[in-house]
Amino acid sequence: MARELVAVAVRFVREYVRASDLAVAAAALFACSAVRSRLSAKPGAPMLWPVFGIIPALFAHLDDIYDWGAAALARAGGTFPYRGMWGGGSSGVITSVPANVEHVLKTNFANYPKGPYYRERFAELLGGGIFNADGDAWRAQRRAASAEMHSARFIEFSAGTIAHLVRGKLIPLMEALSESGAAVDLQDVLLRFTFDNICAAAFGVDAGCLAEGLPDVPFARAFERATELSLARFVTPPFLWKAKRLLGVGSERALVEATRAVREFADRTVGERRAELRKTGTLAGRCDLLSRLMSSPPPPDCPEGYSDEFLRDFCISFILAGRDTSSVALAWFFWLLASHPDVESRVLADVVRAGGDALDAGGSSMDYLHAALTESMRLYPPVPADFKEALEDDVLPDGTAVRARQRVIYYTYAMGRDKASWGPDCLEFRPERWLDARGAFAGGTESPYKYAVFNAGPRLCVGKRFAYAQMKAAAAAVLARFRVEVLPGQAEAVKPKLNTTLYMKRGLMVRFAAREQRHEPVPAAGGRAIKRELPKAAIERDGEE
C-alpha cells in the first residue's frame, strides 16, 4: 500500500509540477522563514538566515568583522544567539557581558569544558595537550605547568633566554636594518622572535628563526601550516572536512603532513633528552620546561613519571600558546605607539627612569610600559574570541538560555570596547586608565572577567607572567635604541585578520631609526638590569661581543 501511494505521488509530481513551481515554492518558504526569523530575533542581533544561519552576515562584514561584531553586541545589549550553516552543528550564544563570562569561566566552570567540538578540530596537532584537554587530564597538566613555570629556576632561566635572544639576535637584526634603511614586516620579525624564545623555554633548543638572513625554518613553517589548517576546520562543515580526512585529500592531507613534521621534531627532541637523562642520570644543567618535567619527581597520579607522549603534547601546546599571542600583542603595541607619540615619549621615559629593568620577570618596574601593553591588549586582544561548550542546559546571569552542547562564545575584542565597562573613552588608547594616583600599575584591581585577555578562572593563563616579561623586555630594548617608523599609507592595510589570533592582515611594514642617545638595558645579577647610556658607536661594538 505504501509503495503504491509513493508511486502515485511521484507520477503526480512528474505530470503536474514543474521545476519552476518547486523553485517558486522554495523561494517563498525561504522568504517566510527569513521574515519569521527576523521578527523573532533579539533587537539589534544579526540576522539568522534559513539554512545559512549567521554565515551571510559574516561574509558581508569580512573586512571589518571584529568591529561589526562589537557593534552588534552593543546594539543587542551584550548577548545574542547565533547559528551556523545547516549541517555544521554549531549554535549557541555570543556575549560580551562580564557577568556571563564569569559564570562560564568560574561560577559554573564544571558545565563549560573545551568540549568535543574544540578537541576534535585540534586533535592532530595538540593531541591530549593542556590546551586541548578537559577533566582530570587537564588538571594534571595544569598542576605540572603551574609548579614548573612558577618555580624560581624556570623564571630565572626564561629571563636569561629572553635577554640572550633580545641582545644577541633581535637588536643586532634591527641595527643592521637601521643602517641599511631597509623596511621589514615587524609582525613577521616578532613572530620569529617569540617562536625562537618559546622553543628555547619549552624544549631548550634554538629554532633559528632569527638567524642571519631570516631563513625559512621547516619546523616553524610546519607549525604555522598545521595551526592554520586546524583552524580551518572551525569554518568548514564537519561532513566536508571529515570526508576529506577519510579520503586523505586536500587540506586534510596537508594537515596530516604538517602535524607529522611538528610531532617528529617534538618526538626527536623528547627522545634525545630522554637519552641524555639515561646516560648522565641528571638534567640538572637544563632548566627548560621539557627537562624540568622529565626530571621532576613523579606526581601521585602518574607514579611512573610522564610519558613521552605527554611531554610531546604538553610542549607543543606550550609553543602554540606562546608563539602567536605575544608577538601579535607587540605588533599592535608598536602600531599604536606610532600614532600616539605622547604615549611613546612616556614609555621611553619610563624605560630610562627604571634603568631598562625589563628583564626582571614579573617585577614591578616600568609601570607605564606595563600599563601601555595592557591597554594595547584591551583594544587588540591577541585572542579576540574564545568559547566553551555546555554539558547541560543552563541560564546565563543576563537571562539567556543555553542548551546542552551549545557553545558560549565570549567576545574579548568587544569586551575591551564596551562603554559600560570602560567608559565613553573606551576606544581611546589611554594607558593612564591602568595607573593609580601615584603612577603605579593598578590593573590587578580590575576584574579578570571584564579583561579576559589572559582567560580567567581556573583556566587563567599560566604563562601570563612569562608573556609580560617577554613583551616588556623586547619593547624596552627596541624603544631604547630605535624609533619604529611605520611606513606611510598603511592605515587601511593594517586590519585584523579573521583568525583565532588577531594577526594584522598584511603585516606591519616599518623602518628602524637609531636614536642618537641610547639607554640600553644591561642584564645584571639575578636577571635584573641596570641603566647605561652609550653613544651609538659604543652600542654597536657592545652588540658585536
Side-chain angles (χ1 to χ4, degrees), residues 274-321:
R274 188 75 79 182
E276 180 181 341
L277 179 61
R278 284 196 297 267
K279 182 178 180 180
T280 63
T282 180
L283 294 174
R286 293 183 176 272
C287 295
D288 57 272
L289 195 58
L290 172 62
S291 298
R292 288 190 59 79
L293 286 171
M294 194 174 288
S295 56
S296 62
D301 54 351
C302 188
E304 297 181 358
Y306 298 117
S307 68
D308 288 358
E309 182 181 5
F310 174 96
L311 295 169
R312 178 199 67 200
D313 291 347
F314 186 95
C315 289
I316 289 175
S317 290
F318 186 72
I319 292 174
L320 178 67

Side-chain angles (χ1 to χ4, degrees), residues 113-455:
K114 286 274 188 178
Y117 183 88
Y118 185 98
R119 291 199 306 273
E120 188 177 36
R121 282 150 181 78
F122 268 113
E124 280 78 7
L125 178 60
L126 298 181
I130 187 171
F131 295 107
N132 208 36
D134 285 318
D136 291 340
W138 166 76
R139 277 185 283 273
Q141 294 187 63
R142 176 80 184 191
R143 284 196 298 270
S146 297
E148 299 303 336
M149 291 191 68
H150 295 159
S151 68
R153 288 194 66 187
F154 181 79
I155 291 172
E156 184 178 2
F157 167 76
S158 62
T161 62
I162 294 169
H164 173 75
L165 193 57
V166 169
R167 292 175 53 81
K169 293 188 177 182
L170 184 64
I171 294 304
L173 169 65
M174 293 181 175
E175 286 176 342
L177 290 168
S178 174
E179 291 172 359
S180 68
V184 68
D185 179 0
L186 182 59
Q187 180 171 254
D188 177 62
V189 170
L190 292 170
L191 277 166
R192 289 170 176 271
F193 163 68
T194 54
F195 193 81
D196 276 0
N197 188 209
I198 206 71
C199 284
F203 285 123
V205 299
D206 179 8
C209 293
L210 275 180
E212 186 177 354
L214 299 180
D216 176 62
V217 178
F219 174 58
R221 185 177 68 252
F223 199 95
E224 183 172 359
R225 184 69 172 146
T227 303
E228 290 178 349
L229 292 170
S230 297
L231 295 174
R233 289 176 167 180
F234 286 91
V235 294
T236 305
F239 68 85
L240 183 58
W241 69 260
K242 288 183 179 181
K244 290 164 70 177
R245 182 178 63 179
L246 182 65
L247 298 172
V249 298
S251 59
E252 288 298 310
R253 178 177 179 178
L255 175 60
V256 169
E257 293 172 351
T259 53
R260 182 187 298 122
V262 171
R263 290 189 166 212
E264 284 177 353
F265 174 88
D267 284 332
R268 183 167 61 253
T269 305
V270 171
E272 291 172 353
R273 201 63 48 79
R274 188 75 79 182
E276 180 181 341
L277 179 61
R278 284 196 297 267
K279 182 178 180 180
T280 63
T282 180
L283 294 174
R286 293 183 176 272
C287 295
D288 57 272
L289 195 58
L290 172 62
S291 298
R292 288 190 59 79
L293 286 171
M294 194 174 288
S295 56
S296 62
D301 54 351
C302 188
E304 297 181 358
Y306 298 117
S307 68
D308 288 358
E309 182 181 5
F310 174 96
L311 295 169
R312 178 199 67 200
D313 291 347
F314 186 95
C315 289
I316 289 175
S317 290
F318 186 72
I319 292 174
L320 178 67
R323 171 186 177 264
D324 294 350
T325 50
S326 295
S327 60
V328 166
L330 282 169
W332 287 109
F333 170 74
F334 282 112
W335 161 249
L336 286 168
L337 287 191
S339 56
H340 295 81
D342 56 325
V343 175
E344 181 182 4
S345 296
R346 288 199 61 180
V347 169
L348 182 58
D350 194 38
V351 172
V352 173
R353 183 171 53 252
D357 191 8
L359 304 178
D360 175 21
S364 58
S365 62
M366 295 188 294
D367 283 0
Y368 194 83
L369 172 58
H370 197 103
L373 285 165
T374 304
E375 176 74 347
S376 175
M377 289 187 287
R378 178 184 70 84
L379 290 170
Y380 295 101
V383 181
D386 203 352
F387 71 85
K388 297 293 184 284
E389 185 171 325
L391 291 177
E392 300 176 355
D393 292 354
D394 193 20
V395 178
L396 301 180
D398 68 354
T400 302
V402 179
R403 297 196 307 273
R405 300 197 65 183
Q406 282 194 322
R407 279 160 282 288
V408 176
I409 299 176
Y410 52 101
Y411 205 162
T412 318
Y413 185 91
M415 293 172 68
R417 295 160 182 261
D418 182 13
K419 289 183 180 179
S421 293
W422 303 102
D425 64 346
C426 61
L427 299 182
E428 295 180 18
F429 178 53
R430 195 171 64 81
E432 290 76 13
R433 75 175 77 243
W434 297 94
L435 302 174
D436 62 18
R438 296 178 294 108
F441 183 75
T445 61
E446 291 287 2
S447 167
Y449 308 101
K450 168 183 168 182
Y451 182 82
V453 170
F454 290 93
N455 217 318

